Amino acid sequence: MPVNNENCSGLYLDLMKRCLTNTIYYEHECRNFTPWNKKIQRFFVQLLLRKNNPEIINLRDQGEDRRVSGKDWPPVAHTMIGLKRLDNIQYCVEQIIKNNVPGDLIETGVWRGGATIFMRAILKAYAVTDRKVFVADSFAGLPRPDEVRYPKDKGVNLYKYKDLAVSLERVKQNFERYGLLDEQVCFLKGWFKETLPDAPIEKLAVLRLDGDLYESTMDALKSLYHKLSAGGFLIVDDYGAVESCKAAVHDFRKERSIREEIIPIDWVGVYWQKAR
Ligand SMILES: C[S@@+](CC[C@H](N)C(=O)[O-])C[C@H]1O[C@@H](n2cnc3c(N)ncnc32)[C@H](O)[C@@H]1O
């Protein structure tokens, strides 16, 4: 998954990644670490440890590496997905531009907007004006698990974490700060089950899922996967961290007989390219 960061657009995108993860002012961000953030982090770590993921056993000792690998919930940074998963977004978007794969880009589950800001930055870097970035979120945090319809979501109580609820105004402001809020960015506000089925999207070239729950992952797949062009990319952020998200991906693949190879990005994210 090599990305070229030597030319002007590469240098711009490299700087964007450092800003979006706030690895540039990392020490300052650590000083701002409040007890509340620590509590959230502890919960997230426990959630992950429950799955016996050996990758995160030494999480607390890893310092800055943690941010680079997207293993913390940053108090300030605009994304929590880390540099490798941002590299993966760059790779996928560069591929679809290079290969003229038709369609727009979307992330379902954007939090402070960082990953979608980066998608818009890539289009800007390559002067692409005929594709949009869709930014889909409740802008109010996660839903309560619907344990009757989605029993695999039982106990994934991320809806309790107010820090995961970032308002639409705040996300727009974040786009603006990078000079990237314009008519190529479209916001879809509300629960995925309400906004995605009738979203004004014809075709997608990149579909990135980051909604954590079985329900959120399945709702996005059911509403959008058929719109993904051949040669386009499906990215799942939480595959290695949230068991119910992984289950949704497998159930959907089985139901639709999807056989494309699942490729790991880092300790948690995966992607595949839709067959031509
Ligand atoms: C882990 S955060 C996303 C992180 C983000 N991609 C980033 O770059 O840092 C999960 C987001 O998904 C949203 N979300 C989860 N399930 C949802 C649903 N069913 N409908 C709408 N939004 C949802 C939450 O509001 C939250 O903003």
Side-chain angles (χ1 to χ4, degrees), residues 191-258:
W191 300 122
F192 298 155
K193 62 183 170 200
E194 284 151 17
T195 58
L196 299 182
D198 298 321
I201 299 171
E202 228 175 273
K203 272 188 193 142
L204 287 168
V206 175
L207 166 53
R208 187 172 203 282
L209 314 180
D210 197 357
D212 301 301
L213 294 170
Y214 184 102
E215 172 182 350
S216 307
T217 307
M218 192 54 104
D219 283 346
L221 283 168
K222 283 199 163 153
S223 301
L224 300 173
Y225 191 75
H226 64 283
K227 296 188 176 180
L228 186 66
S229 302
F233 291 91
L234 184 282
I235 307 167
V236 191
D237 188 278
D238 308 300
Y239 183 87
V242 184
E243 213 48 56
S244 55
C245 162
K246 187 187 215 165
V249 172
H250 283 277
D251 288 352
F252 185 79
R253 281 172 62 94
K254 194 168 166 203
E255 191 187 298
R256 305 284 167 105
S257 305
I258 297 169

Side-chain angles (χ1 to χ4, degrees), residues 61-268:
D61 306 326
Q62 287 172 3
E64 201 173 333
D65 277 357
R66 217 166 46 181
R67 176 62 48 80
V68 172
S69 333
K71 288 180 177 173
D72 70 346
W73 290 6
V76 177
H78 292 146
T79 182
M80 60 169 80
I81 71 172
L83 287 177
K84 275 201 181 157
R85 276 170 271 158
L86 286 172
D87 275 346
N88 166 260
I89 293 177
Q90 186 178 346
Y91 169 77
C92 294
V93 179
E94 287 179 348
Q95 286 294 306
I96 59 104
I97 294 171
K98 191 171 126 207
N99 298 322
N100 290 317
V101 176
D104 296 317
L105 324 175
I106 188 170
E107 183 178 51
T108 59
V110 306
W111 192 48
R112 294 179 184 148
T116 47
I117 292 170
F118 188 53
M119 288 176 178
R120 179 66 193 94
I122 304 169
L123 297 183
K124 188 81 150 184
Y126 293 101
V128 176
T129 54
D130 58 354
R131 296 183 197 259
K132 288 182 177 157
V133 174
F134 285 88
V135 183
D137 206 290
S138 64
F139 299 103
L142 284 93
R144 271 170 190 265
D146 179 343
E147 294 175 11
V148 177
R149 292 187 65 201
Y150 307 102
K152 286 174 182 158
D153 278 337
K154 189 167 186 227
V156 188
N157 291 325
L158 293 168
Y159 73 94
K160 289 184 179 166
Y161 291 86
K162 297 292 167 235
D163 212 49
L164 288 175
V166 181
S167 71
L168 176 59
E169 292 63 37
R170 174 72 200 279
V171 175
K172 282 187 174 172
Q173 198 181 73
N174 290 343
F175 270 86
E176 235 163 21
R177 287 185 180 176
Y178 294 91
L180 292 171
L181 183 66
D182 62 12
E183 67 294 339
Q184 277 178 260
V185 184
C186 304
F187 296 90
L188 301 172
K189 182 175 189 250
W191 300 122
F192 298 155
K193 62 183 170 200
E194 284 151 17
T195 58
L196 299 182
D198 298 321
I201 299 171
E202 228 175 273
K203 272 188 193 142
L204 287 168
V206 175
L207 166 53
R208 187 172 203 282
L209 314 180
D210 197 357
D212 301 301
L213 294 170
Y214 184 102
E215 172 182 350
S216 307
T217 307
M218 192 54 104
D219 283 346
L221 283 168
K222 283 199 163 153
S223 301
L224 300 173
Y225 191 75
H226 64 283
K227 296 188 176 180
L228 186 66
S229 302
F233 291 91
L234 184 282
I235 307 167
V236 191
D237 188 278
D238 308 300
Y239 183 87
V242 184
E243 213 48 56
S244 55
C245 162
K246 187 187 215 165
V249 172
H250 283 277
D251 288 352
F252 185 79
R253 281 172 62 94
K254 194 168 166 203
E255 191 187 298
R256 305 284 167 105
S257 305
I258 297 169
R259 303 209 197 293
E260 285 89 336
E261 184 193 356
I262 297 178
I263 304 166
I265 301 165
D266 58 5
W267 66 284
V268 60

